[in-house]
Amino acid sequence: MAAQDFIRVTASCLRANFISYRAWSKKFKWLVPDHFFEGAEKLLSIWFTTEEGKGEEHGDLKKIPRGKWDELVRGVDAEILSEIEDEDVRAFILSESSLFVFENRIIVKTCGTTRCLKALEYSITLAAKMCGLTRLQDVFYSRRNFLQPKAQVDMHSSFSDEVGYLDKFVEGGAPYVMGKVNIDCWFFYTKVQRSSTGVSIGQPDQRFELIMSDLDPQAMKQFYYSSNQTGHAATLSSGISKLIPGARIDSHMFQPCGYSCNAIIPGGFYFTIHITPETDFSFASFETNHPDGNHAGFMEKVLNIFKPGHLIVTKLANQLSKTNVMSDFRLENYDLQDLQITKYPCYDVHYSSYDVRSLADHC
Ligand SMILES: C[S@@+](CC[C@H](N)C(=O)[O-])C[C@H]1O[C@@H](n2cnc3c(N)ncnc32)[C@H](O)[C@@H]1O
């Protein structure tokens, strides 16, 4: 059996037998690679608003000069590599994932050992000072469990440290964990105290995420610089360019490997993809707020690009969204491992995880 297949099958067997990668790698240190990159992202999404009773008059976060966003990103230990924009959003590719800036919302997504939550304090000050957006309307923070949690720093050393940090800035927030806490899970923090009207943000909102691991080494070859020297070439060869018609895609190819892209779609929609193709710890994420993201057929198009051995699906939708995230769905060739559907005051949240059928059969 080739080394790459061995690692994929081992990972699959570990999950099937409820053994965590962390416990396994501690015992079998000699099998753990020296080079490691934590692909799993920390994802922070903040909606800002004005003081209650002050009306809708406020500045536009998108108009804040680039220098301030450079500063925010440096604060989380990353840097901006490129930027695209349309009338609804500015989308930045970072050395470790992405930043999206809307009129009254920012999304910060960072991987590796970055300190994503640093962006919370900085953006609160920035939004208040430069746009009169003095209140946090909604806050979402989420991430998958890390493969190497001990490598994380400061407030990201554990989920309870992250919660402690978030609590300093977010009034009425609460933490949740979905999935198998000892194997593969998803940590989630959000505001749960609402205004008397119930609906927090006055517009439809939804978000879909595919968090994929144990990716097919053959499919990952195209995300190595030796196969594609530009992000654009990899966007075309992988089929990412065809995922959502009308999307304008900005992409970056890292050396010797790794790929990131941000896409903006008319109507205030985006998608973002980040890929760590190294077989020993391969990871990819797909995230969008486009309603198509809710359909199993669309998800299968994404899965066909990466062919993951394992994946987590998360979906969020507020009361004004036309997308129903509460229903169950089937993915061709994948076996459902966990499913949790929860109602929060303003959002419905879906979490499910899957193993590829053929790999699970090895165990
Ligand atoms: C594309 S980035 C983004 C990772 C993303 N969060 C994901 O989904 O895996 C990570 C990949 O790029 C590679 N890489 C190469 N140079 C890098 C750099 N300067 N900073 C971050 N990643 C780099 C890493 O080894 C890894 O394969």
Side-chain angles (χ1 to χ4, degrees), residues 161-221:
D161 287 349
E162 292 172 320
V163 172
Y165 189 85
L166 281 153
D167 279 344
K168 286 200 262 178
F169 302 97
V170 183
E171 218 186 300
Y176 301 85
V177 188
M178 298 191 192
K180 295 186 186 75
V181 174
N182 60 338
I183 304 291
D184 195 13
C185 60
W186 186 63
F187 298 101
F188 178 58
Y189 179 100
T190 188
K191 273 184 84 164
V192 285
Q193 277 173 18
R194 296 295 157 202
S195 65
S196 50
T197 57
V199 177
S200 175
I201 56 161
Q203 62 188 88
D205 181 46
Q206 59 275 319
R207 179 183 99 193
F208 311 102
E209 229 190 333
L210 298 179
I211 303 172
M212 299 164 274
S213 48
D214 303 338
L215 311 173
D216 176 32
Q218 199 55 33
M220 285 305 101
K221 278 193 179 150

Side-chain angles (χ1 to χ4, degrees), residues 37 39 41 95 97 111 254-255 257-259 274-278 283:
F37 188 87
E41 296 106 350
S95 53
S97 304
C111 56
F254 291 83
Q255 285 193 50
C257 66
Y259 168 93
H274 300 281
I275 305 168
T276 291
E278 291 99 320
F283 179 91

Side-chain angles (χ1 to χ4, degrees), residues 64-193:
I64 294 178
R66 163 70 182 257
K68 298 288 180 194
W69 300 118
D70 281 315
E71 245 173 63
L72 176 141
V73 169
R74 274 199 296 272
V76 306
D77 309 319
E79 61 175 301
I80 294 177
L81 300 181
S82 68
E83 174 183 358
I84 52 170
E85 65 177 324
D86 69 4
E87 60 193 33
D88 296 303
V89 59
R90 284 172 79 178
F92 302 91
I93 294 185
L94 310 185
S95 53
E96 275 89 2
S97 304
S98 292
L99 164 69
F100 291 90
V101 180
F102 298 82
E103 184 182 351
N104 61 345
R105 176 192 197 184
I106 68 165
I107 300 170
V108 193
K109 183 170 206 173
T110 69
C111 56
T113 53
T114 49
R115 291 174 297 170
C116 180
L117 283 177
K118 276 260 171 190
L120 180 60
E121 183 170 10
Y122 187 93
S123 60
I124 289 173
T125 311
L126 200 60
K129 267 197 189 153
M130 304 205 52
C131 300
L133 290 162
T134 47
R135 221 156 51 93
L136 292 179
Q137 191 166 28
D138 241 323
V139 176
F140 300 92
Y141 174 72
S142 61
R143 65 169 175 83
R144 196 198 74 174
N145 58 309
F146 295 123
L147 286 179
Q148 293 197 0
K150 288 211 170 109
Q152 297 295 321
V153 294
D154 279 4
M155 71 289 274
H156 293 292
S157 300
S158 68
F159 185 52
S160 53
D161 287 349
E162 292 172 320
V163 172
Y165 189 85
L166 281 153
D167 279 344
K168 286 200 262 178
F169 302 97
V170 183
E171 218 186 300
Y176 301 85
V177 188
M178 298 191 192
K180 295 186 186 75
V181 174
N182 60 338
I183 304 291
D184 195 13
C185 60
W186 186 63
F187 298 101
F188 178 58
Y189 179 100
T190 188
K191 273 184 84 164
V192 285
Q193 277 173 18

